[in-house]
């Protein structure tokens, strides 16, 4: 079996498991979230999607961070509960995205042979922001992931990795479902 196909199959299986655990707000999401990026990193390197490949290292580190944050306890309960993004965080999150997008775009456009630097840097910058939002159990992280997923479907189809594109198409649907579920879970 061709390596690219094998990586797509394993990455897709791990991706579905990851999304199900995220939907359930299950702490094991972070363990799968530390393994899955290694598979996807190899796939993206093999496909010439460099920012997404580099992003996988961030996902491993973010997985460890998320695990620590979600395990933190205050008395008898987990400290972090599902919540809406505080208004005071919106501007810093948008600013972080813009700075990351510009910086990653510059690196891709000037230092690599990437044929998709704008969309690769956009999805990567948004993913960094969304992953941090997930670590804080912010409902709106699902909306950011929806944008990432939509961009990724097109990017992966263009780069001829259709199984991964299919995974991200399913992610789009589940991002909407996850958003609705997490909204219902917010304590009033």
């Amino acid at each position: 079996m061709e390596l690219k196909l094998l990586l797509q199959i394993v990455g897709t299986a791990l991706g579905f498991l990851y999304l199900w655990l995220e939907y359930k707000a299950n702490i094991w999401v972070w363990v799968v979230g530390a393994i899955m990026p290694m598979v996807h990193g190899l796939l993206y390197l093999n496909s010439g999607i460099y920012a997404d490949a580099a992003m996988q290292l961030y996902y491993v580190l973010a997985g460890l961070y998320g695990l620590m944050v979600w395990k933190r306890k205050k008395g008898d309960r987990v400290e972090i509960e599902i919540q809406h993004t505080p208004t005071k965080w919106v501007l810093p999150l948008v600013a972080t995205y813009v700075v990351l997008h510009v910086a990653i775009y510059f690196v891709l456009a000037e230092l690599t042979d990437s044929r998709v630097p704008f969309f690769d840097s956009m999805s990567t910058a948004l993913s960094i922001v969304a992953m941090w939002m997930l670590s804080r159990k912010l409902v709106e992280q699902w909306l950011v992931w929806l944008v990432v997923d939509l961009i990724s479907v097109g990017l992966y189809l263009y780069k001829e990795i259709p199984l991964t594109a299919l995974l991200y198409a399913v992610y789009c649907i589940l991002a909407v479902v996850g958003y609705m579920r997490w909204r219902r879970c917010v304590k009033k």
Side-chain angles (χ1 to χ4, degrees):
M1 180 181 295
E2 180 187 334
L3 177 63
K4 199 171 180 180
L5 178 59
L6 179 62
L7 291 172
Q8 286 184 81
I9 291 169
V10 172
T12 299
L14 288 170
F16 282 127
L17 176 59
Y18 176 90
L19 197 55
W20 181 77
L21 293 168
E22 181 180 3
Y23 175 79
K24 294 289 196 178
N26 184 303
I27 197 165
W28 283 96
V29 70
W30 298 110
V31 175
V32 174
I35 296 168
M36 182 177 60
M38 295 177 221
V39 174
H40 281 137
L42 290 173
L43 174 63
Y44 300 150
L45 274 176
N46 193 329
S47 301
I49 307 172
Y50 304 120
D52 271 1
M55 180 70 190
Q56 304 312 301
L57 176 60
Y58 169 76
Y59 283 147
V60 171
L61 298 174
L64 297 173
Y65 171 76
L67 183 62
M68 289 186 313
V69 170
W70 281 27
K71 282 187 78 160
R72 218 180 292 158
K73 294 192 181 232
K74 191 174 192 175
D76 289 337
R77 64 178 181 82
V78 175
E79 184 176 342
I80 293 183
E81 295 180 8
I82 296 172
Q83 63 180 317
H84 286 288
T85 305
T87 306
K88 67 182 180 183
W89 290 3
V90 173
L91 187 57
L93 288 170
V94 170
T96 299
Y97 158 73
V98 169
V99 168
L100 288 168
H101 188 175
V102 169
I104 296 167
Y105 175 82
F106 176 78
V107 169
L108 291 176
E110 298 298 321
L111 304 176
T112 74
D113 63 351
S114 177
R115 295 185 318 182
V116 289
F118 181 82
F119 291 109
D120 194 3
S121 59
M122 177 187 279
S123 67
T124 301
L126 285 170
S127 295
I128 292 170
V129 170
M131 193 65 140
W132 183 86
M133 292 174 75
L134 172 61
S135 77
R136 297 293 162 185
K137 290 190 178 178
L138 302 177
V139 172
E140 293 74 19
Q141 58 97 13
W142 287 104
L143 300 176
V144 179
W145 283 122
L146 178 59
V147 174
V148 170
D149 298 339
L150 288 168
I151 294 165
S152 296
V153 167
L155 189 60
Y156 299 154
L157 285 173
Y158 177 76
K159 285 301 202 168
E160 299 178 353
I161 46 177
L163 287 179
T164 304
L166 176 63
L167 171 66
Y168 279 78
V170 173
Y171 277 4
C172 290
I173 296 164
L174 294 175
V176 173
V177 173
Y179 173 73
M180 293 184 323
R181 179 178 188 272
W182 277 35
R183 263 187 30 195
R184 288 190 305 272
C185 290
V186 172
K187 297 206 175 178
K188 309 268 187 215

